[in-house]
Amino acid sequence: MSARECCPGSRTQVFGPKDDGSPQEEGGKRRSQLRQWPVQLHLVNPQAPYFEKADVLLAADCVAYAMGDFHKDYLSGKSLAIACPKLDSDQEIYIEKIKSLIDDSKINTLTVMIMQVPCCGGLLAIAKEGLKRAKRKIPLKYIVVSLQGEILKEEWVTE
Amino acid sequence: MEDISNMQVKEVISKYPGIGDILGSFGIGCVTCAAGSCLFREIVGIHSMPPEKEKELFDRIAAVLPSGVMFKRPAPSTARKREKDGGLKYSPPIKMLVDEHTKIKKLLALIPDILGSLDIEKENDRELIRSALYFIVNYADRFHHAKEEAILFDYADRDSSVIKVMLEDHDLGRSFVKGARQALESKDIDELKKNLEGYKGLLEEHIRKEDEILYPWIDRNLSDAQVGELFRKFSEADIKTDRNALAECLKFIDGLAGAPHAAPSKK
């Protein structure tokens, strides 16, 4: 398979140094905004106390690496679950866990952060299916992140 | 030095008509607003323009003001959310209200036809007016406006002139409905038409202002947690509402034929 035909999710790309005027080095340490463990969706208990009535962030595995300020701008104030819709197995369990987060832990909102590659859309589909199966309804938002960490889209799902 | 910041916008436009033209050229339709009672300092903020466009607007307004007249430029809001691809869609709780507007607009669009063919002496015609008034009271007011007044407006500054105008619109609408009811009982066709046409004009403008200005303004400043909270409160209010009255209203409005389902201008 040539580079052109390769799946966008696994095609080799090299990003040059950024020169967008933003500071390259910042003084001091950033505090982690993570307030729980575990975080992987297979490992988390959807009825864990840190999910109760929480605003939950469901992020694709690659998101936190692509973004420079993931903790400060998106994780802060939220409980977290991470997953990969391309590589993870037993994704039916994911759907049931989303349903349980909504019905049992009565989460307040669910935000899904995915990469721009097509396979990542599967994570949003999982979230939508979990919401569809749940008895309660909650606001669902999705955010699409570019391979270099820019926000391409941020929308509430209203259909 | 005269400061116009805290003057009502209609007064500002009346004294300095060039400002009305400038606002209009930036898509701020205060000249055609029936009330015009928003304070000058608030109108730019709620329209949420990009900073560079906001600066251009302020520069042009400053240029047409005579010497000795000034206004305070508000600081750009730091709470504005990222807007790409034409801006955020309505959040789910705000979308609930916009969808309710669509049903109300269906009735408003039919009022001319209903009044045009009305025979006040016919019981069937009077019954149609009674049903329309029942919908206005129970759906538009007790179901929809009640959620705005009891819940939504807490997420804005209740002391702002914008919210005060919305509350005044609700009260004026109630007085039109009261007038229409009395006219129906006394079979006063002229008075009935005056009140229903007044209600139609008022609500169409009111809904346009909410869909295009007020709701996006409130929506932009909601955190994700507030969106979830608002959605829950609206859902709880819907559950507590008189289900029989709501079902009757939905049956009435969905059964009305021939009205255009005008889509809101912002999806």
Side-chain angles (χ1 to χ4, degrees):
Chain A
M1 185 182 281
S2 73
R4 181 170 293 178
E5 292 165 337
C6 184
C7 164
S10 50
R11 185 168 55 214
T12 302
Q13 297 184 54
V14 178
F15 307 130
K18 303 274 195 310
D19 188 17
D20 58 359
S22 59
Q24 294 299 303
E25 298 201 12
E26 295 164 23
K29 289 184 177 178
R30 279 217 200 287
R31 190 184 293 266
S32 169
Q33 297 296 329
L34 187 64
R35 56 189 195 184
Q36 65 178 79
W37 192 263
V39 296
Q40 209 290 329
L41 190 49
H42 272 310
L43 301 180
V44 297
N45 176 356
Q47 297 180 46
Y50 49 77
F51 284 129
E52 194 177 343
K53 297 180 180 172
D55 294 291
V56 173
L57 177 62
L58 175 60
D61 287 350
C62 302
V63 166
Y65 296 100
M67 300 194 69
D69 276 321
F70 174 77
H71 279 249
K72 177 173 74 72
D73 293 343
Y74 291 93
L75 181 56
S76 177
K78 289 188 165 72
S79 298
L80 177 70
I82 63 169
C84 175
K86 182 166 184 168
L87 303 177
D88 294 354
S89 57
D90 299 327
Q91 295 188 13
E92 179 65 21
I93 294 172
Y94 285 171
I95 294 172
E96 287 304 311
K97 286 200 172 186
I98 299 294
K99 176 177 176 289
S100 178
L101 283 170
I102 297 167
D103 280 341
D104 300 323
S105 287
K106 298 184 171 29
I107 62 172
N108 189 43
T109 58
L110 179 60
T111 299
V112 180
M113 284 190 89
I114 57 176
M115 300 300 298
Q116 69 179 121
V117 294
C119 46
C120 232
L123 194 59
L124 178 59
I126 286 169
K128 283 183 177 175
E129 183 60 26
L131 177 59
K132 189 176 159 190
R133 292 186 194 178
K135 293 190 185 79
R136 289 178 70 239
K137 296 301 160 207
I138 58 161
L140 170 64
K141 181 195 263 189
Y142 73 103
I143 301 171
V144 181
V145 180
S146 79
L147 302 186
Q148 298 193 65
E150 298 295 319
I151 300 298
L152 299 177
K153 199 168 198 177
E154 180 172 350
E155 278 185 4
W156 292 99
V157 176
T158 52
E159 75 257 27
Chain B
M1 181 73 80
E2 181 190 15
D3 184 356
I4 62 171
S5 307
N6 290 318
M7 282 169 61
Q8 291 187 345
V9 70
K10 68 178 173 189
E11 193 183 345
V12 172
I13 291 171
S14 168
K15 283 182 83 169
Y16 310 107
I19 292 181
D21 297 335
I22 294 170
L23 291 173
S25 70
F26 280 77
I28 301 177
C30 294
V31 175
T32 55
C33 177
S37 52
C38 292
L39 299 183
F40 183 72
R41 64 180 161 81
E42 291 176 347
I43 55 166
V44 174
I46 64 169
H47 283 79
S48 184
M49 285 182 289
E52 64 278 10
K53 203 171 173 190
E54 192 172 283
K55 181 180 179 304
E56 184 191 341
L57 172 65
F58 288 144
D59 288 346
R60 284 184 57 189
I61 290 174
V64 301
L65 287 175
S67 63
V69 182
M70 54 81 72
F71 63 96
K72 295 186 188 82
R73 297 190 184 212
S77 169
T78 54
R80 285 178 192 162
K81 288 185 179 175
R82 184 180 299 103
E83 294 191 18
K84 290 187 181 239
D85 302 331
L88 286 173
K89 284 183 179 179
Y90 293 116
S91 66
I94 300 296
K95 179 76 165 43
M96 288 165 80
L97 299 177
V98 173
D99 289 345
E100 289 164 13
H101 278 169
T102 304
K103 292 195 180 298
I104 297 167
K105 285 195 290 188
K106 180 177 180 182
L107 175 63
L108 299 178
L110 275 177
I111 284 177
D113 287 347
I114 292 172
L115 291 176
S117 60
L118 177 69
D119 182 343
I120 198 80
E121 297 301 328
K122 282 186 180 170
E123 174 55 24
N124 279 354
D125 284 14
R126 290 201 304 277
E127 185 56 30
L128 177 60
I129 298 292
R130 274 188 215 107
S131 296
L133 292 173
Y134 185 88
F135 174 85
I136 290 170
V137 168
N138 287 283
Y139 188 86
D141 202 30
R142 290 182 184 158
F143 182 67
H144 176 76
H145 290 158
K147 276 188 293 206
E148 292 179 334
E149 293 181 8
I151 302 169
L152 179 73
F153 292 167
D154 282 342
Y155 291 81
D157 178 3
R158 278 191 181 268
D159 291 329
S160 67
S161 55
V162 186
I163 298 298
K164 285 177 182 166
V165 168
M166 295 300 125
L167 292 170
E168 285 166 12
D169 283 354
H170 291 177
D171 285 341
L172 184 55
R174 285 163 194 142
S175 68
F176 279 131
V177 171
K178 186 179 175 187
R181 271 181 164 163
Q182 289 168 346
L184 184 64
E185 283 173 22
S186 59
K187 296 185 182 177
D188 183 339
I189 183 76
D190 291 337
E191 197 62 20
L192 181 65
K193 283 184 176 177
K194 192 177 96 181
N195 279 286
L196 284 182
E197 284 167 354
Y199 183 82
K200 169 182 155 58
L202 173 77
L203 256 285
E204 282 179 340
E205 177 67 8
H206 177 80
I207 287 172
R208 188 190 66 75
K209 282 187 282 195
E210 290 190 330
D211 283 353
E212 296 178 10
I213 301 167
L214 180 70
Y215 289 172
W217 175 53
I218 292 176
D219 221 354
R220 280 193 299 274
N221 291 296
L222 293 175
S223 66
D224 287 359
Q226 286 175 316
V227 167
E229 184 181 87
L230 198 52
F231 187 84
R232 177 178 53 77
K233 287 179 179 175
F234 283 170
S235 302
E236 287 169 357
D238 287 355
I239 289 168
K240 284 180 193 162
T241 199
D242 181 339
R243 305 304 293 176
N244 291 332
L246 179 61
E248 204 168 325
C249 288
L250 294 176
K251 186 179 171 189
F252 165 75
I253 200 68
D254 292 340
L256 282 178
H261 281 270
S265 57
K266 178 177 183 258
K267 282 266 180 184

